[in-house]
Amino acid sequence: MMKLKILGVIFFGLYIGIGYGQEMLTVRQAVEIALANNYDIRLAKNDLLIVQENVTYGNAGMLPNVTGDFSQNNNLQNSTQTQNTGVVRALDNARNNSMTYGVSVGWTIFDGLGMFSRYETLKELEKQGDIQLKKAVLTQVSDVISTYYTIVEQNNLLLALDSSITISKERLQTAENRYMIGKASKLEVLNVQVNLNTDQTARIKQEEIVKNLKITLNNLLARDLDIEFDVVADVDVDEKLIFAELLEKSKKHNPDLLAIGISKRLAELELKTIKANRYPTVRLRGGYNFSETESSLGFVAQSSSRGLNYGVTASINIFDGFNQRRSERIAKLRIDNADLLASQQQNFVETSLMQAFQSYQTHVALYKLERKNVQIAKQNLAITMDKFRIGTISSVEFRDAQENYLNAVTRYNSSKLQAKLSETYLKEIVGAIRFGA
């Protein structure tokens, strides 16, 4: 009965999981919550909305400006006038009033095509904002997935400790029974009691680790830190990743590579905008104005006018102290720098991808090996339990088998987690993380 009870806890409770009546949170649900709530993602979304608002023809200078103007001036003066005939005219508190109002229009119709390059720049900045949002999403999703599966691994270790405590309690009961009938010493009972206390201490510490990890995940999800939840019992590792395919995808999806490409395009547009200053700027202007004047002293006491005014202005930069040439040279150097940065970033991505893939292969191989070790340790524990039950081995030998099994489970969970983290990091570098249900 003891063997069946203990094996039942070990072989089923450890891998199926122990329910505590809490919310079951899947990794997909965790990612969806993070996408909706995470502060970094929300900030990146707002930044994208800002640059999207800036992509307008008016912001690029393509549309006319229309303004309404109003002006009124009132004066009270003590005036004296001497006319050519010698007549002197004087008036205290003479009023001199004027009022002007109207509508004016200004429209730059040609600026060396600079307005078109500015509009293209605004669209490229929108793409840049979209890539920055994608990078923020990738980073946060990667953090959520990594934290989630770390909780799975640490929770499985907690379950393994629960199994070890169950075994130690059964061992203690057996040792006490043997002591009662004179087949074991008091020392054996005390040793088993120490082992049980050690297991319980380890469980308390492990429970703290799991709780802190859950707080960390709740923080990433930007929700109440004290929300309780359960996680799945196992980690699904994608063991079929191919380096050549990952490298090809990274060239199309890696946000840093895409951002470098946009930076180069922005540098090219900056050069176009600067070169536009070599050409003349042509601007149309027009308006319709009303004016009224009133004078208490003078030949004209009151007058009013209204009418249309229009015209065209053109200007061209003839000499600006060679600043135009200097600006163009700097813009060309920035294009060269963008090319260098693109090559550097491509090399960095390939290096990071190759190193991460090597780590991924190593952890997958270790995880498969540790899976076999768990099976061997499980068989060894079952045999040892039989021998301990009939009294052919000591409590110390049983404890060794118990610890070997717990260590094997710990290594297995750790290697599987590292394989999953390596897989997640690879997909983050590529720029296309997919998450399970």
Side-chain angles (χ1 to χ4, degrees):
M1 290 298 293
M2 180 188 74
K3 176 182 176 182
L4 292 176
K5 182 177 179 180
I6 297 175
L7 288 178
V9 172
I10 295 174
F11 301 157
F12 296 99
L14 182 58
Y15 295 103
I16 295 177
I18 299 177
Y20 296 99
Q22 299 172 356
E23 167 200 2
M24 173 57 70
L25 180 69
T26 66
V27 67
R28 176 179 292 275
Q29 291 170 338
V31 169
E32 289 174 350
I33 294 173
L35 291 177
N37 296 344
N38 184 270
Y39 294 113
D40 289 336
I41 294 177
R42 290 165 64 185
L43 288 170
K45 286 180 179 178
N46 284 340
D47 289 339
L48 176 59
L49 290 175
I50 291 172
V51 295
Q52 287 176 339
E53 289 291 334
N54 284 328
V55 184
T56 64
Y57 292 112
N59 196 25
M62 294 183 177
L63 301 180
N65 296 321
V66 181
T67 60
D69 303 304
F70 177 84
S71 174
Q72 181 172 1
N73 295 309
N74 300 312
N75 294 313
L76 288 175
Q77 296 178 337
N78 296 327
S79 300
T80 301
Q81 295 180 354
T82 302
Q83 298 180 347
N84 291 332
T85 58
V87 177
V88 177
R89 301 176 61 190
L91 181 66
D92 292 337
N93 296 322
R95 297 175 59 188
N96 293 283
N97 303 329
S98 65
M99 181 175 63
T100 304
Y101 57 94
V103 177
S104 61
V105 179
W107 189 4
T108 301
I109 60 173
F110 182 77
D111 63 350
L113 304 179
M115 63 181 71
F116 296 100
S117 62
R118 286 193 295 272
Y119 184 69
E120 290 298 318
T121 297
L122 293 174
K123 292 198 293 185
E124 291 300 319
L125 289 174
E126 180 183 11
K127 294 179 183 178
Q128 188 180 65
D130 187 61
I131 290 174
Q132 290 172 347
L133 173 59
K134 179 182 178 181
K135 184 174 181 179
V137 168
L138 279 172
T139 301
Q140 295 305 315
V141 168
S142 177
D143 288 345
V144 168
I145 292 176
S146 299
T147 304
Y148 182 91
Y149 284 118
T150 301
I151 294 174
V152 173
E153 183 252 349
Q154 293 296 323
N155 195 57
N156 283 339
L157 181 55
L158 181 62
L159 295 173
L161 289 169
D162 286 337
S163 300
S164 181
I165 290 173
T166 300
I167 294 172
S168 294
K169 287 180 178 179
E170 294 292 343
R171 283 179 52 218
L172 180 60
Q173 184 64 47
T174 301
E176 289 176 344
N177 292 338
R178 293 175 61 183
Y179 173 71
M180 293 297 295
I181 62 176
K183 290 187 176 181
S185 65
K186 184 64 175 179
L187 180 60
E188 181 177 341
V189 175
L190 294 175
N191 285 334
V192 176
Q193 182 67 61
V194 170
N195 295 153
L196 175 59
N197 292 341
T198 301
D199 292 342
Q200 290 174 333
T201 299
R203 190 197 186 283
I204 292 173
K205 293 180 179 179
Q206 184 62 27
E207 188 174 22
E208 178 188 8
I209 292 174
V210 173
K211 287 182 178 179
N212 284 335
L213 284 170
K214 288 184 176 181
I215 291 173
T216 300
L217 183 58
N218 280 330
N219 179 56
L220 288 173
L221 303 187
R223 63 180 190 172
D224 291 341
L225 301 180
D226 57 355
I227 292 179
E228 293 289 341
F229 60 90
D230 284 332
V231 294
V232 297
D234 201 6
V235 178
D236 184 20
V237 180
D238 186 353
E239 304 175 13
K240 300 180 180 180
L241 298 180
I242 300 174
F243 178 77
E245 294 179 357
L246 294 172
L247 181 60
E248 190 63 29
K249 288 181 180 178
S250 69
K251 296 177 181 178
K252 299 178 181 179
H253 301 292
N254 181 273
D256 291 324
L257 287 179
L258 296 177
I260 289 293
I262 290 179
S263 296
K264 180 182 177 182
R265 176 62 177 157
L266 288 172
E268 293 171 345
L269 289 171
E270 180 186 15
L271 178 59
K272 286 185 177 181
T273 303
I274 292 173
K275 284 185 175 181
N277 294 327
R278 289 185 174 273
Y279 298 91
T281 299
V282 181
R283 184 174 176 81
L284 299 179
R285 58 175 178 80
Y288 197 90
N289 295 318
F290 300 82
S291 65
E292 296 180 3
T293 61
E294 180 182 7
S295 177
S296 299
L297 183 65
F299 291 104
V300 179
Q302 186 176 4
S303 68
S304 63
S305 65
R306 62 180 180 179
L308 177 68
N309 65 84
Y310 55 91
V312 60
T313 60
S315 63
I316 187 171
N317 177 27
I318 297 176
F319 180 73
D320 63 351
F322 303 109
N323 286 324
Q324 176 68 26
R325 185 176 63 178
R326 175 184 58 81
S327 298
E328 290 181 8
R329 288 179 175 176
I330 291 175
K332 290 178 181 178
L333 288 172
R334 287 175 177 167
I335 294 175
D336 291 339
N337 280 346
D339 282 327
L340 292 172
L341 288 173
S343 300
Q344 182 186 48
Q345 188 64 35
Q346 180 64 49
N347 183 265
F348 176 77
V349 169
E350 290 183 13
T351 301
S352 300
L353 195 64
M354 184 172 291
Q355 291 174 338
F357 188 77
Q358 181 61 50
S359 178
Y360 160 79
Q361 288 182 311
T362 300
H363 289 306
V364 168
L366 289 174
Y367 136 68
K368 291 180 179 180
L369 178 61
E370 294 298 344
R371 181 171 55 190
K372 295 179 181 179
N373 286 337
V374 168
Q375 295 172 349
I376 295 172
K378 183 190 299 183
Q379 294 175 358
N380 181 59
L381 181 60
I383 295 172
T384 305
M385 288 170 63
D386 283 334
K387 292 184 177 181
F388 181 73
R389 182 167 54 87
I390 62 177
T392 58
I393 63 172
S394 67
S395 176
V396 174
E397 292 174 300
F398 187 96
R399 180 64 176 179
D400 288 341
Q402 181 183 356
E403 290 182 343
N404 287 339
Y405 176 75
L406 184 60
N407 291 335
V409 170
T410 301
R411 291 195 307 271
Y412 169 71
N413 285 325
S414 177
S415 61
K416 195 170 186 180
L417 171 65
Q418 292 304 316
K420 185 63 179 180
L421 295 182
S422 298
E423 172 203 329
T424 302
Y425 181 56
L426 274 173
K427 293 178 179 179
E428 181 182 358
I429 295 175
V430 168
I433 294 181
R434 293 181 180 179
F435 44 89

